[in-house]
Amino acid sequence: MAPHSCKGCLRDIIASRMSKESNETAMEVNGLEENGLPDSPYPPRMRNGVSDFPCFSAMPWFGMDIGGTLSKLVYFEPKDIPKCESASEVETLRNIRRYLTKNSAYGKTGHRDTHLQEVNMKLAKFDEFDSLLKGLQYIDRNSPTECYYWANPTDESKCAKVNYDFSSPYPFLIVNIGSGVSVLAVYSATNYKRISGTSIGGGTFLGLCCLLTGCNSFEEAIELAAEGDHTHVDKLVRDIYGGDYERFGLPGDLVASSFGQMNSRERRSKVSRQDLARATLVTITNNIGSIARMCAIQERIDRVVFIGNFLRVNPIAMKLLAYAMDYWSKGTMKALFLEHEGYFGAVGCLLQFQEYLKS
Ligand SMILES: Nc1ncnc2c1ncn2[C@@H]1O[C@H](COP(=O)(O)OP(=O)(O)OP(=O)(O)O)[C@@H](O)[C@H]1O
Ligand SMILES: CC(C)(CO)[C@@H](O)C(=O)NCCC(=O)O
């Protein structure tokens, strides 16, 4: 992902702050000790970009979003490294990978950053949702093909991703489907509020799928779901009414009760792992779609942007959300999606740090 090459701009700012640092005395701001670069993520014993720790070379700035399930990282990867610098760049990239693959961000304490502090990396922390929004707006501004919707989501032969011009975005709703789900209403670049959320999110999908099917990864869960049929598991309106419940506009193929067939021993014996995975995906996704729609009605907002890594490699969920938003709003609401669905928090974190350095 390379929306912007920062070679030159960010490094110059960093270099000038670092040289100022040696002339400044430590001071206290907002309870944090500062020495030119407050809460600097550079190791404290590193000066002018050179670390005096024997085992780790200088770390560059990078943005990291340590979530409930996944850690997301963005950093600047210059494409035009001169030969004389290439060895140190390669060492730096190797270092980043080494920190990340330690896979113990929670440590024994439960504090997400303890491990990173143990390796003498200093952290500048920013709010999760401020970062998410800043990253989203930045990527959307810089990548014209970022935002899209699904046309004809229920017809495989006509279904297609269509580019959406999101240059005048406000107001809009963000539905961030991570481990849990947060719903934010965004009124301007800086004015937003968290209006709702649910603990039944991507983590629930993965957890239930592992329990029900014995799968061991998100990719496996999605592959199973792609081959399954949820109508073997769910009870539909037609299973109860024999067809549509016309008076109240409930079509026969609507799910009346998620997993509602699974009280029958006979049906349980016939159901496959694939069916169970698909039903889990449909249950979680429909529930999120329903909450999103109610939030949109309450806030009188008609554009809903769905993001989060639950949507990664997951066209089934995206198409379901697209269809449900359109159908139940009678075409008045639009479900929108973004190409870099899970990375906005990490990008926003890096941007906020850059803003801080400039200020
Ligand atoms: N490789 C993967 N491994 C595990 N989960 C994955 C993977 N790819 C996608 N997912 C899905 O993405 C979800 C996590 O999404 P995301 O990274 O946006 O949230 P998070 O930041 O970890 O959680 P939260 O924001 O709630 O703290 C998982 O619960 C799972 O449904
Ligand atoms: C706790 C967070 C904000 C962490 O990203 C997220 O997982 C979430 O919004 N969970 C749902 C919490 C709730 O509203 O029930």
Side-chain angles (χ1 to χ4, degrees):
M1 180 165 86
H4 174 65
S5 170
C6 280
K7 195 161 188 197
C9 59
L10 189 58
R11 282 193 176 175
D12 289 350
I13 294 163
I14 293 164
S16 73
R17 298 290 302 231
M18 293 296 275
S19 60
K20 256 173 77 188
E21 179 190 358
S22 50
N23 301 325
E24 280 176 7
T25 48
M27 56 183 178
E28 194 85 25
V29 174
N30 292 334
L32 295 171
E33 196 189 26
E34 293 198 346
N35 18 342
L37 268 177
D39 221 10
S40 162
Y42 266 110
R45 286 160 63 200
M46 194 174 84
R47 294 291 175 261
N48 300 321
V50 182
S51 168
D52 54 4
F53 287 96
C55 51
F56 296 113
S57 72
M59 292 295 295
W61 312 111
F62 58 85
M64 192 168 186
D65 170 5
I66 310 174
T69 309
L70 298 175
S71 292
K72 282 75 62 180
L73 177 108
V74 296
Y75 57 94
F76 297 95
E77 194 177 45
K79 299 253 183 279
D80 51 349
I81 308 170
K83 268 217 165 106
C84 57
E85 282 180 25
S86 66
S88 66
E89 289 287 349
V90 166
E91 179 53 29
T92 297
L93 294 177
R94 197 174 291 144
N95 244 344
I96 292 173
R97 189 155 303 154
R98 190 153 23 139
Y99 284 121
L100 292 177
T101 51
K102 294 221 173 199
N103 196 25
S104 54
Y106 298 96
K108 283 179 195 147
T109 61
H111 293 292
R112 295 172 171 210
D113 51 21
T114 306
H115 167 70
L116 297 173
Q117 279 161 357
E118 273 165 17
V119 291
N120 286 309
M121 185 187 295
K122 273 217 146 189
L123 305 172
K125 296 188 201 173
F126 299 99
D127 179 82
E128 174 180 351
F129 295 135
D130 285 352
S131 301
L132 184 79
L133 188 56
K134 279 187 199 296
L136 187 154
Q137 290 168 329
Y138 177 84
I139 297 283
D140 188 60
R141 261 198 324 274
N142 287 282
S143 163
T145 55
E146 183 67 26
C147 188
Y148 64 93
Y149 65 94
W150 287 92
N152 306 305
T154 51
D155 183 343
E156 265 315 307
S157 62
K158 290 193 197 146
C159 181
K161 272 168 81 169
V162 182
N163 196 41
Y164 184 82
D165 178 3
F166 203 45
S167 49
S168 308
Y170 309 111
F172 68 99
L173 219 62
I174 296 178
V175 179
N176 184 31
I177 318 177
S179 316
V181 182
S182 284
V183 184
L184 312 179
V186 186
Y187 305 101
S188 75
T190 49
N191 180 15
Y192 76 92
K193 57 183 183 184
R194 184 182 188 274
I195 54 171
S196 190
T198 170
S199 60
I200 301 176
T204 321
F205 164 68
L206 189 51
L208 285 179
C209 234
C210 291
L211 277 175
L212 291 170
T213 72
C215 73
N216 283 302
S217 71
F218 181 76
E219 284 74 9
E220 202 187 335
I222 293 293
E223 271 166 34
L224 285 170
E227 290 159 14
D229 182 346
H230 75 99
T231 67
H232 297 163
V233 178
D234 295 337
K235 193 164 277 181
L236 308 186
V237 169
R238 68 165 179 257
D239 297 324
I240 301 171
Y241 273 83
D244 302 343
Y245 184 4
E246 275 169 27
R247 185 174 167 212
F248 289 102
L250 303 180
D253 61 1
L254 181 78
V255 178
S257 170
S258 298
F259 282 76
Q261 309 265 32
M262 293 297 91
N263 61 329
S264 150
R265 185 192 299 244
E266 194 201 332
R267 286 189 186 273
R268 278 203 302 276
S269 69
K270 287 186 189 146
V271 91
S272 69
R273 293 168 71 224
Q274 287 80 352
D275 296 338
L276 288 166
R278 182 62 162 248
T280 310
L281 187 55
V282 170
T283 300
I284 305 289
T285 306
N286 278 343
N287 190 55
I288 294 168
S290 181
I291 291 167
R293 201 169 46 83
M294 287 188 284
C295 290
I297 292 169
Q298 181 192 303
E299 294 298 313
R300 296 177 209 278
I301 289 177
D302 56 14
R303 284 177 301 178
V304 183
V305 180
F306 291 93
I307 56 171
N309 278 314
F310 171 67
L311 299 174
R312 213 191 116 241
V313 295
N314 195 353
I316 300 171
M318 285 192 276
K319 290 176 194 176
L320 259 179
L321 289 168
Y323 171 72
M325 294 299 287
D326 183 68
Y327 182 85
W328 291 111
S329 74
K330 298 194 169 63
T332 62
M333 284 178 200
K334 199 157 199 67
L336 299 171
F337 302 92
L338 299 173
E339 293 289 351
H340 296 94
E341 65 270 291
Y343 279 95
F344 303 115
V347 171
C349 209
L350 192 53
L351 290 170
Q352 290 198 85
F353 191 67
Q354 190 183 1
E355 272 170 28
Y356 165 76
L357 286 171
K358 278 183 187 157
S359 68

